[in-house]
Structures are given as C-alpha cells and as structure tokens.
Amino acid sequence: MYGDPGWTLDNLPVVIFLVLMVLLGKSLLITLITVVLRFRWSHGLATGLTISQIGEFSFVLAGVAVSAGILDLTQFRLLISVTIVTIIGTPYLITLGGAIHHKASHKIALRMKKPEKGVPLEPETATAIEKAIVIIGFGPAGQRIAESLLDAYKERLFIIDINPKNLEQAKTYGLRYQVGDASYSELLEHLPLRSTQVVVVTVPDQISASRIIHTCKATLPGTLVVSRCRHHIYSGFLYMAGADKVIDEEDQIGQAIASECLKMLGAQ
C-alpha cells in the first residue's frame, strides 16, 4: 500500500542502482563473516543472497522517520521502492543461492584428490577400512556416538561433515575424516572404505538427512543406516527414505523424563 509504481518507474535507474547496492553489499558482508568463521565462501555467498533483501519492518521504520522529519517524501518513496523490489526478488535469490550451494558442493565432492588444508586424507594411498562405521555429522550428537564406540571400534570409525570446524574434534580423537556433503554419491564413492557395515546420520534437518540416507543406500548397498530424527512427525519420512532404524529424539526425551519422574516418585 505504501508503494507508488508510477514514482518507481519514473526513478527506475536510481531504484535499480540502490537495489543492486543493497543485494551486493549484504551478500558480500555475510560472505566475509562466514569466511572469518571458517565456513566456505560459497556457503556464505549462498546465505547472503538468501537474506540480502530489506525486511518489511523497514516500512514501519521509514514511516517513523518521515513523521520525525528524518526522511523527506522523496527519500521515503525511494526506500519503500527499493524494499519492495528486494522482497519481490527474494524467491529468485533463494533459488540462486541454492544453485550456488549445490554447484559448490558438487565440485567439492569431485575434488577428493585435493582435500582441504588440515584434512589428512589421500584416498589413493590411505588404507581402506573394512566394515567401516561411518558417522555423518560430527556435532555434539556425532561426538557422543564416537566416544561410545571409540574403545572397541576406533580403527573402523570414519567421520564425514560439511563443516571443517566440527572435524577439528574428530582430529583430536585420532579419527579419519573427510570434509564434504554426504548427499552426493561422488563423495562416498571416493572414500577409502573397502566395505561399510553401518552409517549413522546425525544431521538434524530431516530434508538433508533423507537425501543422505537415500544416497548411502544407493551408493553403499547392504549398509545399515541409523538416523537421528529431531521431531517425531518426521520419523516415518526418514524410514521412507531408507533408514533401517530411526532414533526419535522426542520419544527418547519423553521416556527419559518419565523415567526420572518415576525415580523421584519412588516407583523405581
């Protein structure tokens, strides 16, 4: 309702210029932040494009600024026009960001012969693991799993995570690992695994987890897949993706809390 299409068309060059400045400025800033935090630049750029629009709350702020005399009517219309254009473009920017992420992940998966700095893995020369236990996702959940298996199965453990920071912990455990997106078969095919017995998927997002499960089942036939499920409603979804066992977090938490309550009530 604040928008004035006629004014926007009459001032289209300056509107387009400012739209580009906003999109590029926010995207580059977010990319810089993610690089400083040691994420890949491609992930940062994809994230920046996804959230580079001006939020609709700017309408409220612009109205207050006009009332306070900070902005004149021309500046107000310009800000509103730029905001509306960036919001309209958001779905296309999200699609572009997803395409950048997909392409970058695909290239990373194919670049297995040149692992990133700090990844001590050369698939061509590394001794292949027999009956490997692969943990995909090495956040807190993946780390607890590894700690439980470490004494008995250390030589069979192999870690995959898309976040290099998580793999620093795998390095301290003395485990072999690889940076990459396990939803791509190219990555799994080039790992030094002679055979795989169990794959544990700890990724919390159900969409990503389902893709990884499907890829593991297709690329590593005969492998048993155990998957984490953050919300009960998605457990069936993960079973349909091919998981042999789904650990339902809400179900497990409910049982644990009930057990503690029973202990407090003297029933156990």
Side-chain angles (χ1 to χ4, degrees):
M1 293 175 68
Y2 277 141
D4 186 341
W7 188 94
T8 301
L9 290 174
D10 290 340
N11 297 272
L12 196 57
V14 67
V15 171
I16 292 176
F17 175 76
L18 287 178
V19 166
L20 292 175
M21 289 300 99
V22 169
L23 298 181
L24 290 173
K26 290 186 70 176
S27 297
L28 292 175
L29 178 61
I30 293 168
T31 302
L32 177 61
I33 292 172
T34 54
V35 169
V36 170
L37 295 175
R38 298 180 64 190
F39 290 92
R40 292 193 181 90
W41 69 266
S42 57
H43 296 167
L45 182 57
T47 303
L49 287 171
T50 300
I51 61 174
S52 59
Q53 74 280 358
I54 299 177
E56 62 274 11
F57 187 66
S58 62
F59 295 144
V60 177
L61 296 178
V64 173
V66 170
S67 300
I70 298 172
L71 295 179
D72 59 31
L73 189 57
T74 299
Q75 293 169 330
F76 174 78
R77 286 174 171 168
L78 179 59
L79 176 59
I80 294 301
S81 296
V82 172
T83 301
I84 291 174
V85 172
T86 61
I87 290 175
I88 291 173
T90 296
Y92 305 100
L93 293 169
I94 291 174
T95 300
L96 178 61
I100 289 174
H101 169 74
H102 179 87
K103 189 171 182 179
S105 298
H106 186 70
K107 286 185 176 180
I108 290 167
L110 292 174
R111 205 170 58 213
M112 294 293 294
K113 293 182 180 180
K114 296 179 181 180
E116 295 187 16
K117 184 178 180 181
V119 181
L121 177 62
E122 290 292 340
E124 309 244 340
T125 59
T127 304
I129 301 175
E130 194 79 48
K131 295 183 179 180
I133 302 168
V134 180
I135 300 176
I136 300 175
F138 208 61
Q143 292 171 25
R144 299 298 83 75
I145 295 167
E147 288 168 0
S148 299
L149 299 174
L150 207 54
D151 290 340
Y153 301 103
K154 181 177 179 180
E155 298 305 317
R156 291 169 55 186
L157 289 173
F158 192 91
I159 313 300
I160 304 174
D161 199 303
I162 202 168
N163 184 355
K165 291 179 67 176
N166 286 343
L167 294 176
E168 289 298 319
Q169 192 65 30
K171 188 176 181 180
T172 64
Y173 291 150
L175 299 175
R176 296 172 68 179
Y177 59 89
Q178 178 61 52
V179 177
D181 187 342
S183 64
Y184 290 93
S185 59
E186 293 90 345
L187 184 141
L188 298 178
E189 289 169 352
H190 287 80
L191 295 177
L193 309 178
R194 191 179 305 278
S195 63
T196 307
Q197 184 172 5
V198 178
V199 171
V200 183
V201 181
T202 71
V203 178
D205 176 66
Q206 71 276 1
I207 300 297
S208 298
S210 68
R211 290 174 179 166
I212 292 170
I213 293 167
H214 179 76
T215 301
C216 288
K217 281 294 187 178
T219 309
L220 308 170
T223 299
L224 298 175
V225 177
V226 181
S227 178
R228 166 190 184 181
C229 180
R230 196 164 192 175
H231 301 290
H232 175 73
I233 191 173
Y234 297 118
S235 59
F237 178 70
L238 296 178
Y239 274 119
M240 289 178 64
D244 296 284
K245 181 66 176 179
V246 174
I247 307 302
D248 186 331
E249 286 190 28
E250 292 182 329
D251 182 55
Q252 295 292 319
I253 290 171
Q255 292 182 30
I257 293 175
S259 177
E260 292 302 318
C261 287
L262 290 171
K263 289 178 182 178
M264 292 177 181
L265 296 169
Q268 287 187 358

